[in-house]
Amino acid sequence: MTTAVRRPARSPVPPKPPRLRARIIGWSVVALILAAHVAAWNATEMSMGALLEGVTGMGEFLSEAVPPEFGSEVLAESASAAIVTLWIGLLGTTLSVPGSLVFALLATRGTAPGWIYQTARGLLSFLRAVPDVVFALIFVTAVGLGPFPGVLALLCHNIGVMGKLWAETLEEADPGPAQALRSAGAGRIQVAAQALLPVVKPQLVGLLLYRFDVNVRSSLVLGLVGAGGIGFLINQSIQLFQFDEMLTHILVVLVLIVAVDQLSALARRLLGSAP
C-alpha cells in the first residue's frame, strides 16, 4: 500500500483591500491636499497678475542697482560691517556651547531624572519656538542698537536649537558603554562624561560647525532690525534709495558666505581625517 503524502497546510493569504476602497482613500487624500493649497493660496493673497504688474517696478529697481557702487569708502564700510557680521555669528555660536551642552545632558533620557528631562525639553522648545529676529527686537529694546543684541539673540535661539540636536545625538549613541558603566555603579555624570560624550564628540562638533554656518546667515537678517553688521547697511541703503550701494553690500555678503562655507568644509574634512 502506498501512503498518501501530506502536503503542508498553506497559511491563509490575507485578503487584499478592495480596489474601490483604496481608490477612494487615494482620491480623498489628493482632494485634501488640493483643498489645503487652495486655502493657502487665498490666505496668502497670491496673485500672478500683481506679479506681472510689478515687473516694471522690478526692472527700474535693478536698473538703479546695476552697476554696484565700488567706491573705496563704500567697500571699506561694507567689508568692516561684514567682519562684524562674522563676529556676531561666531560669538552667538561659541558662547552658546556651555548652555547647549548642559541642556542637552538634561534633555537626554538616562542622564537626568524624568521631571528634569521634561522641564529641559520644554525650555528648549521655547527657545526654538521664539525666532532669533524676535529675540533681537527684544534685546535691541533692552540694550540699544548694535552688534551686542545680535549676539544675545543668536545665543538664546542657538541654545534651543543646538541643545535639541545634541540631545537627540546623545540618545542615539551606542548604549553599550553607558550600560557597562551603570552596571559598575557609575552615576549619571560619570556615564555622560566617560561613555556618551566621547562616543558622539565628532557628531557634536559637526553640528556645531553647521550651526555656525547658519548663524552667520542669521546675523545678516538680524542687522535688518538694528542688531548691527552688514544687514544694517543693507537696510539703510534701501531706506535711502541707494540701491547701487545695497547691491555692493549684497555682493560682499556673497563673498562672506562662500568663505564661511569653505572654512566649514575644511574643518569637517580635518575632523573626519582626525584619529
Side-chain angles (χ1 to χ4, degrees):
M1 291 180 65
T2 59
T3 58
V5 179
R6 292 184 178 181
R7 296 180 179 179
R10 295 181 178 179
S11 58
V13 179
K16 296 181 179 180
R19 292 184 178 180
L20 179 60
R21 180 183 176 186
R23 289 180 179 178
I24 292 175
I25 294 176
W27 284 111
S28 299
V29 172
V30 172
L32 287 174
I33 294 175
L34 291 176
H37 280 77
V38 170
W41 186 280
N42 294 330
T44 54
E45 300 179 359
M46 295 287 291
S47 174
M48 299 305 297
L51 179 61
L52 293 175
E53 292 177 359
V55 169
T56 303
M58 293 170 61
E60 294 177 356
F61 176 81
L62 292 176
S63 65
E64 295 180 8
V66 179
E69 174 59 49
F70 285 133
S72 58
E73 293 184 2
V74 175
L75 284 176
E77 185 182 25
S78 185
S80 177
I83 296 299
V84 172
T85 297
L86 178 64
W87 297 153
I88 293 173
L90 177 65
L91 291 179
T93 304
T94 56
L95 294 181
S96 66
V97 169
S100 300
L101 183 58
V102 170
F103 272 103
L105 293 173
L106 296 178
T108 301
R109 291 185 177 89
T111 61
W115 67 273
I116 294 181
Y117 168 83
Q118 296 295 338
T119 303
R121 285 278 174 168
L123 289 174
L124 289 176
S125 298
F126 170 75
L127 293 175
R128 289 196 320 275
V130 180
D132 46 15
V133 175
V134 175
F135 276 125
L137 291 172
I138 295 173
F139 286 120
V140 164
T141 304
V143 301
L145 299 174
F148 183 44
V151 174
L152 295 177
L154 288 181
L155 174 64
C156 293
H157 185 72
N158 200 59
I159 288 177
V161 176
M162 202 157 64
K164 173 72 160 44
L165 294 175
W166 280 3
E168 292 179 348
T169 303
L170 290 171
E171 288 187 345
E172 294 174 359
D174 182 10
Q179 291 176 356
L181 283 179
R182 290 192 187 97
S183 63
R188 298 178 187 270
I189 297 179
Q190 291 176 319
V191 170
Q194 301 178 13
L196 291 179
L197 292 177
V199 173
V200 299
K201 183 172 66 174
Q203 292 90 328
L204 299 185
V205 176
L207 290 171
L208 179 64
L209 291 174
Y210 165 73
R211 286 304 305 172
F212 169 64
D213 194 2
V214 173
N215 285 335
V216 171
R217 291 171 168 81
S218 298
S219 60
L220 167 66
V221 180
L222 299 183
L224 299 177
V225 296
I230 197 168
F232 181 78
L233 292 183
I234 293 176
N235 186 34
Q236 187 179 49
S237 299
I238 293 174
Q239 292 179 347
L240 296 176
F241 300 100
Q242 296 172 341
F243 301 122
D244 53 347
E245 294 186 7
M246 176 208 69
L247 183 56
T248 302
H249 300 324
I250 292 176
L251 293 177
V252 172
V253 168
L254 176 62
V255 174
L256 174 65
I257 296 302
V258 171
V260 170
D261 285 340
Q262 295 299 319
L263 179 62
S264 298
L266 176 62
R268 289 187 180 93
R269 286 196 297 269
L270 295 177
L271 180 65
S273 61

